[in-house]
Every structure is written in structure tokens, then in C-alpha cells.
Amino acid sequence: MPGTFRRKKRGIIYVRVSVARPDMISPELQVGHAQQLADANDIDVVLEPIMDLGESGRGFEERKIEDIKEMARNREFDVLILWIWSRFGRNLKESLQHLDDLMAYGIEVRAAREDFDGKTTIGRFAIAQMLNIAELESNQKSDQWKDAIESRKIKGLPHGGGTRGRFGYYRCDSCPPPEKGEPMEKCPNCKEGVLKLDERQRSYRAIYRRLYESYAIDQVSTRSLVLWLRQQKIVNWTGREIDAGDLYSILDSGFALGFVRYTLPEEKHKVITRDDGTTKIVRKSAHRDITAFLYYKGKHEAIYEDEVQCERIWDAYVARRLAGRDSDKKNHDHSAKYSVSGSLTCPGCGYKMHSYLRAKKVQRPWINGNPDPFDILFRCTRHMKFKDCPTNGVYVTLQVAEESVKEWLAEQAESDPEGAATVPARIAQVQAAKSSDDGYGDDQIRLQGIEHDLKKVRAREDQLTEAVLDELISKDAARRKRAELETEKSALQMEGAQIKRRLAETPQIIDKPEASAFSSVLALWDVADHADRRRMLRKVLREIRVNRGRDPKTKCVMWPLWVPPPPKSKDLTLGA
């Protein structure tokens, strides 16, 4: 009698890693162990592993558990395979609830390294205990962080960030400068992490005093202060030029006035109501108002010796900041608004141009709820912010720019019926390939080599983890070896990031579309809104250079995507 056919159980693998750190269990290792369990139990893994990378186990809102439950409802799999139970969650109550939901759909949940039968009473008890232990470990880590933060607050030290440096402050004279991806070394002189006011090459005490007094007492605009910083060639401690947002961040911290700040507990999270009426707690954005912090006396040196003077300046600064916040009801939207937004560039500095409306008293009547295109002007952003554009800032109205674009589209539709097959188009593609080929191939080959080297490093990390789990190597020896591997991996990742940036900056050349594509754009232009027009233009235009003068024929020059980009203007970096 022939045997009856029995279908294999279908399995999926779930992987979670909360945050990248030297001692983390890599996703590849978790997948490997889960696959071993599947092979040993004749389970057919039917999908690629579902991964929650960089997600905490304390909550389920931002993770893919709901997607897995939806797949379970649709009977797309039979077994969910984890590495260990803490990968499912570190919140006992919610973890058990989600497990109950999965089991109610007939799903079997297994853990490769902690394999208990969830269908039995003892198995359910063991699973609950493992989840309880995971929640305990998570809560203990949370308590340790809270104690560390409270200790820094009592000592007058800032919370975590800024220990490497701040604007006008530095860490130590004798320690080596910090390097990305490397552990920060500390000498006995700076073990406490108290930053020093920088008076070595320029007086940051005087700079800070001018900034605070000009803004808080003399009511000087932020733009004027940013221009002054640019003229004095003063940069942030990271080496980047300071803009208005950076300036507010520097002054809002109150650090130079002797304060360290900590976020109010009620400002860290907010409660959101779901569609079904239930609520969830989510972390608020890091961009918080000045009123979202408590300010404490810091241990570092302030720019004024007199604490009363520091408080007086701070009160005046806060008063102006809050007055500006309360009076500003415009809620400016900085997103692209018009068809050519983001495409117009200045020929002098190469910077983008931004739009603004003419004064109301000279505006023409609006058309269908939108300003008249003649009243929308685009001006060089560099000139408006820093007054150092070589052309003193060109400008163009939206009306002129759109008319130039439409004329160009009509020319393309009439003059080149065969599109990229024409001789001029082929010549342009050859020139573009020649201009972008220098070093491109070498970068691609090196990037492939880096990916190969990273795989080898990860494999060595997995082998090291296996050795620790099997007690073949001591934890101290493993920690030292892991630090070496982490250093090697960081160097490879940094080199890879630099190569990717170079490749991203290499101009992409497309085949020229056929005439029908340009005719279609022209046909849709008048009925399309600004967002649709902008999307259509970005498929054919690299940028629009705006020249000086009033001649509409030469005012705007189109640079399409099938020719090399225009020569770059000399970069206007600080000190150039």
C-alpha cells in the first residue's frame, strides 16, 4: 500500500537586532542557527528572513510583527523560527499576547537556541520564563542608563553628547584627537569629561559674548550674526560652516553661560491614539523647543565669571527666543512649491536658487488661488545668505523660467524626431562617458573588494561568537579580538562610504527620449499642477542655468540629462 503524501511544514525566520555594537549577535549568525533548526526538523523555509534591524525589543509598534501576523492569518507559513526568545521581544505582556495570537492562527513558534514546545504546559511556562528574563535584562539596562544620566547631572556634566567637543570648547591638550569608528581615548587630565573654554588661537569667550549680547540685548538678526561668523572664518567644532540652525543650536544649549541641559521627562515621549481607540507611546522628535529642557549649573567654565551676569544674559536670550516663537505664526513650508524649484542654478557659484514673493502692495491679482508667475522671483541662495556670490546673485521670475522651459520642450519635440539615435546625441553620450570614466571603474572594483572583505570580517565575527558560545575561548580574549575586527570593519565601511559618495557624484547619462515624450509633456503642461510639472522636468533636465540680463532667449540655459553637466563653478568654501 503506497504511503500517503505529507506536506513539509513551511517556515519563516525572524531576526531582530536592537542596535549595532561590538558584542551584538549578527543577523547572519541568527539566520544560520534558525536554518539549522529548520533543516533538522524538515521545515521548508519559504521566504527570505524577515529582519528588524535597529529595532528595540521593548515595543512592537515599529516592527514587522503585525506583518507576520497578517501572513499567519493568510496561512502563508506554519512555523515561525527565532534565534532565542528575547529576539521576539523584551516586553513580557505584549510578547505573550502576540505569541497567543500566532498560536491561535495555528502557527508553531520555535527558538533555535531555546527550543521549547509551546503547545505543552511546561513549554509555555519555559517560554514565559525566558521572556521574563529578557524583560528583566532590558529593565536593568534601562535603570543603569538612568543612574548614569543622573550621576552626570549631579556632577554638572552634559548628557552624553558633547564629550568630544563643542563650539568654543575642547576636551584636552594631551589626548589624541577623536577618530570616527575608534574608541575615544582619555588621559588622567580629562577623565571627568569637563570641557575647557578654547582660548588658544582665538578668543571664543569674546565670540560667545558678542553672539549672546548682540542677539539678546541689541536685537541683532540671526542672519547678520551668521554673516559675521562667515566673514571672521569661524566654523563649528566639526569644521563645518555655521548656518542659522547651527547658531540656534549653539546658543539654545546655554553651555557657554555655564549650563548643562536635560530633557524634561514629559517631553521625551508622547501618546498617540490608534484608529481602534487604543493608545501607544512613541518617542518625540529630537528637534525640541527651548522650553523642553531643564538647565542645571555645569562644572565647566562659563564666558562670564559672574554667575548673575550669566543668568541675566540667559533670561534676555530666552525672552527673545520665546517672543520670536510666539509671534511667528507663518509656519513656513520650505518644500518645493513650483515647477522649476530645485532646478534653477546660479552661474556664478553653482548654488541652487530659492523663491520668494514680491511685496503685497505691488502684487498682481492671484490666479486660481495661486500667485501670478510674474510675482514669483528666484534668487541665488548663496547671495541671499552670505553675500559672496561672484555674480552678486542672479534672479529670474517663474513666468520667464517656465516660458523658457516650454520653448525648449517644443524645440526638442520638433528638431529631434529620432531621439537618442541622432548623431549629436551619440556624440554627447561619448563625451559624457569620457568625462565620467576617469576612476569610475576602479572605484567599482574597489567597492566590490570592500564588500568581499566585509563578508570575511563578519564571518570571522560569527566564528568568534560560536567559539564564545561553545566556551572555546575566554570572554576577555574574545572582547579584544572583537575590538580588532570592529576597527577593521569600521575602516572598510568608511572607505566604502567615501567611494559611494564619489560614485553618487558621478553624473548619470541617460538616452535621449523620443520626440513623442516631449510632445506629451507639452500637452500635459497647462493642466498639470506644479508638483506634476516638476516630476516631468526632472526626468529630462539636469539643471537650468540662469544668466544675467533680460534677454529671454539667453536668460535660461537648459542642461538635459543626456549631456554632461555644466562645468562646476569654483567652490566657495571658507578661506578659499
Side-chain angles (χ1 to χ4, degrees):
M1 180 177 179
T4 58
F5 172 75
R6 183 178 180 182
R7 177 177 64 84
K8 279 187 176 183
K9 290 184 177 180
R10 300 163 298 162
I12 61 173
I13 297 172
Y14 175 70
V15 172
R16 183 186 64 79
V17 176
S18 57
V19 64
R21 60 185 187 275
D23 61 338
M24 77 173 184
I25 305 301
S26 70
E28 294 81 5
L29 180 61
Q30 295 185 40
V31 172
H33 283 175
Q35 187 65 54
Q36 289 176 13
L37 184 142
D39 295 340
N41 291 269
D42 201 26
I43 298 173
D44 185 17
V45 178
V46 294
L47 296 173
E48 289 294 318
I50 298 175
M51 296 194 181
D52 274 327
L53 304 183
E55 297 293 348
S56 169
R58 294 173 68 87
F60 288 83
E61 300 299 338
E62 306 300 327
R63 294 162 56 196
K64 299 176 182 176
I65 300 299
E66 289 297 333
D67 295 338
I68 293 174
K69 289 168 66 174
E70 180 65 27
M71 295 167 61
R73 279 191 288 268
N74 297 330
R75 302 297 302 171
E76 297 179 28
F77 67 100
D78 304 302
V79 185
L80 175 65
I81 307 175
L82 316 170
W83 180 59
I84 57 177
W85 289 103
S86 66
R87 297 303 89 196
F88 189 78
R90 293 184 178 273
N91 181 314
L92 177 62
K93 180 180 178 181
E94 291 192 46
S95 296
L96 290 176
Q97 180 61 55
H98 287 294
L99 287 173
D100 286 339
D101 292 341
L102 288 171
M103 292 179 183
Y105 299 135
I107 301 301
E108 182 181 355
V109 185
R110 306 277 294 272
R113 303 288 289 191
E114 299 166 347
D115 194 14
F116 309 113
D117 187 355
K119 296 188 292 294
T120 66
T121 302
I122 296 298
R124 287 283 294 170
F125 175 78
I127 292 171
Q129 293 307 306
M130 300 309 298
L131 292 172
N132 203 1
I133 292 172
E135 183 178 43
L136 173 63
E137 292 175 346
S138 178
N139 291 337
Q140 286 177 329
K141 290 179 181 178
S142 176
D143 291 340
Q144 289 172 0
W145 275 111
K146 290 176 182 178
D147 292 342
I149 293 171
E150 188 65 25
S151 175
R152 292 188 66 83
K153 185 191 301 183
I154 293 172
K155 293 178 180 178
L157 301 175
H159 169 213
T163 55
R164 292 174 180 262
R166 287 175 181 260
F167 176 72
Y169 285 80
Y170 69 105
R171 186 164 57 87
C172 184
D173 292 309
S174 56
C175 286
E179 296 182 9
K180 189 174 183 179
E182 297 289 338
M184 185 174 63
E185 298 182 16
K186 290 184 179 181
C187 70
N189 296 329
C190 61
K191 279 289 185 183
E192 290 187 346
V194 179
L195 300 180
K196 301 174 178 61
L197 184 60
D198 196 348
E199 297 288 291
R200 295 170 297 181
Q201 296 181 356
R202 65 166 78 234
S203 175
Y204 280 92
R205 185 190 304 273
I207 294 170
Y208 261 121
R209 286 184 178 183
R210 172 159 181 166
L211 293 175
Y212 271 114
E213 292 174 5
S214 297
Y215 182 88
I217 299 175
D218 300 331
Q219 303 292 302
V220 175
S221 69
T222 307
R223 180 169 174 271
S224 298
L225 295 177
V226 169
L227 289 175
W228 176 76
L229 290 170
R230 301 271 176 154
Q231 292 167 359
Q232 300 300 315
K233 299 182 180 179
I234 299 171
V235 297
N236 213 335
W237 75 276
T238 58
R240 194 181 76 170
E241 291 181 322
I242 298 173
D243 57 22
D246 296 327
L247 182 58
Y248 278 130
S249 296
I250 290 169
L251 300 183
D252 281 358
S253 70
F255 194 80
L257 294 175
F259 301 115
V260 292
R261 69 180 186 181
Y262 284 81
T263 309
L264 286 165
E266 60 269 24
E267 293 293 336
K268 293 181 180 179
H269 300 88
K270 59 182 177 181
V271 178
I272 294 180
T273 303
R274 302 185 184 94
D275 295 336
D276 59 2
T278 59
T279 59
K280 65 176 180 179
I281 299 177
V282 298
R283 182 176 292 275
K284 284 187 178 181
S285 169
H287 302 286
R288 299 183 177 96
D289 188 81
I290 194 173
T291 58
F293 300 94
L294 288 174
Y295 292 81
Y296 298 88
K297 180 70 175 68
K299 198 172 182 180
H300 58 281
E301 181 183 3
I303 57 174
Y304 299 100
E305 292 79 10
D306 186 0
E307 293 185 10
V308 176
Q309 176 71 353
C310 289
E311 293 181 1
R312 186 180 70 85
I313 294 295
W314 178 246
D315 289 342
Y317 174 79
V318 171
R320 186 181 176 193
R321 284 287 278 141
L322 295 181
R325 181 199 66 177
D326 295 337
S327 62
D328 185 12
K329 302 298 184 182
K330 297 179 181 179
N331 294 325
H332 294 292
D333 181 10
H334 297 286
S335 60
K337 298 177 183 178
Y338 305 112
S339 58
V340 293
S341 295
S343 298
L344 301 175
T345 59
C346 171
C349 60
Y351 271 61
K352 300 289 186 181
M353 302 173 67
H354 73 272
S355 64
Y356 66 96
L357 278 174
R358 297 183 191 272
K360 286 186 177 181
K361 61 182 180 181
V362 296
Q363 281 185 20
R364 297 170 176 80
W366 284 34
I367 304 172
N368 297 327
N370 294 312
D372 190 296
F374 277 109
D375 292 329
I376 302 169
L377 275 73
F378 286 84
R379 196 77 184 266
C380 171
T381 303
R382 183 86 197 190
H383 177 71
M384 296 300 293
K385 283 188 174 182
F386 311 122
K387 301 295 184 184
D388 58 359
C389 175
T391 60
N392 290 326
V394 297
Y395 68 90
V396 66
T397 65
L398 178 62
Q399 176 72 22
V400 171
E402 288 192 331
E403 288 298 329
S404 298
V405 167
K406 291 170 68 176
E407 290 179 9
W408 178 79
L409 290 171
E411 291 174 0
Q412 302 306 309
E414 295 173 0
S415 64
D416 191 11
E418 298 179 2
T422 59
V423 174
R426 292 201 300 271
I427 293 175
Q429 289 177 12
V430 171
Q431 292 175 340
K434 184 177 180 181
S435 66
S436 63
D437 190 51
D438 186 18
Y440 187 87
D442 293 339
D443 280 344
Q444 289 280 22
I445 293 173
R446 178 54 187 151
L447 193 59
Q448 292 175 2
I450 289 174
E451 293 296 332
H452 181 263
D453 292 342
L454 283 172
K455 288 182 180 179
K456 290 168 59 177
V457 172
R458 295 188 185 106
R460 288 156 60 192
E461 287 179 331
D462 292 345
Q463 292 172 0
L464 183 63
T465 302
E466 290 278 11
V468 173
L469 294 175
D470 294 336
E471 299 182 352
L472 300 176
I473 184 174
S474 68
K475 290 185 178 181
D476 289 338
R479 191 177 296 109
R480 290 192 296 270
K481 186 62 179 176
R482 193 178 293 280
E484 295 176 8
L485 294 175
E486 188 66 26
T487 300
E488 182 179 350
K489 186 167 65 174
S490 296
L492 289 170
Q493 289 172 337
M494 289 179 64
E495 183 183 359
Q498 292 173 352
I499 292 175
K500 288 178 180 179
R501 281 196 296 270
R502 286 202 300 270
L503 293 176
E505 293 171 357
T506 302
Q508 299 297 312
I509 309 297
I510 68 170
D511 291 335
K512 184 176 180 180
E514 296 183 357
S516 58
F518 298 102
S519 300
S520 299
V521 174
L522 278 172
L524 294 172
W525 186 268
D526 291 333
V527 296
D529 59 18
H530 283 290
D532 290 331
R533 293 177 183 178
R534 189 167 57 252
R535 281 192 288 269
M536 291 188 292
L537 288 183
R538 286 182 176 175
K539 293 181 178 180
V540 294
L541 277 179
R542 190 183 307 280
E543 64 178 85
I544 304 172
R545 281 286 169 97
V546 180
N547 296 319
R548 296 185 66 83
R550 296 179 177 272
D551 187 353
K553 295 182 179 180
T554 59
K555 184 67 176 176
C556 297
V557 179
M558 311 297 157
W559 287 87
L561 289 171
W562 53 89
V563 302
K568 290 186 177 180
S569 303
K570 185 178 179 181
D571 291 335
L572 293 175
T573 54
L574 202 61

